[in-house]
Amino acid sequence: MSIDSPDLLRNRYGASRHEHRIGPRGWIGIVLAVTLLTAVFAVWVVLARQSAPTFKDIGFEVVSEARATADFELTKRPEDVVTCAVQALNQEYAVVGWAEVTVGSVPEDRLSDAGTSSHRAAVRTTNLATTAVVDSCWVEG
């Protein structure tokens, strides 16, 4: 036997003569497990998106050098309390004002068929804004 023969190495280090390979049943099990995990992840993503509030900027008004307003529509589940961050920007797109607006339950007469309601947020500014928009919305705790 030569020094580097496979049999000598197997005998020295205790490796078995039979290599462990994944058989057809093993591959089927792996494929099923990966498929199940992918499906669970997809359902989780869809459910998370359905419960997330959505918003749409409708308009804004620069009231003065120290104040702007943002008009937006918010779609949320009726039971959710949602906070939206509204920012005023100057002509260089720097933030010159910031406000958070919390929306709880909305009266039925203010809701559209899709559960959307309109809101106006006032934002105090440090200098003249050129626009005011909703930055983000999230469900409170």
Side-chain angles (χ1 to χ4, degrees):
M1 257 192 258
S2 72
I3 294 177
D4 60 348
S5 83
D7 289 334
L8 178 65
L9 294 175
R10 277 191 208 107
N11 289 337
R12 178 178 293 167
Y13 297 109
S16 70
R17 291 185 176 263
H18 304 289
E19 294 182 22
H20 294 286
R21 294 187 181 190
I22 298 174
R25 285 185 179 174
W27 281 112
I28 291 171
I30 290 171
V31 168
L32 288 175
V34 169
T35 302
L36 178 65
L37 287 173
T38 303
V40 167
F41 178 74
V43 167
W44 177 72
V45 168
V46 167
L47 291 176
R49 285 187 179 214
Q50 286 178 345
S51 65
T54 59
F55 62 89
K56 179 181 177 185
D57 289 310
I58 301 299
F60 69 93
E61 181 182 2
V62 177
V63 179
S64 68
E65 192 168 306
R67 190 165 164 253
T69 61
D71 296 323
F72 64 98
E73 291 180 340
L74 175 64
T75 304
K76 66 179 192 68
R77 295 184 305 190
E79 67 273 10
D80 287 345
V81 175
V82 173
T83 298
C84 293
V86 181
Q87 60 185 5
L89 306 172
N90 66 12
Q91 68 185 49
E92 287 87 28
Y93 300 103
V95 177
V96 295
W98 181 272
E100 290 184 357
V101 178
T102 300
V103 178
S105 63
V106 178
E108 288 289 326
D109 61 333
R110 289 191 51 210
L111 290 174
S112 71
D113 292 337
T116 302
S117 56
S118 296
H119 304 275
R120 173 170 283 171
V123 183
R124 291 184 185 183
T125 59
T126 57
N127 56 14
L128 184 63
T130 56
T131 189
V133 295
V134 176
D135 179 61
S136 60
C137 293
W138 60 91
V139 176
E140 289 293 326

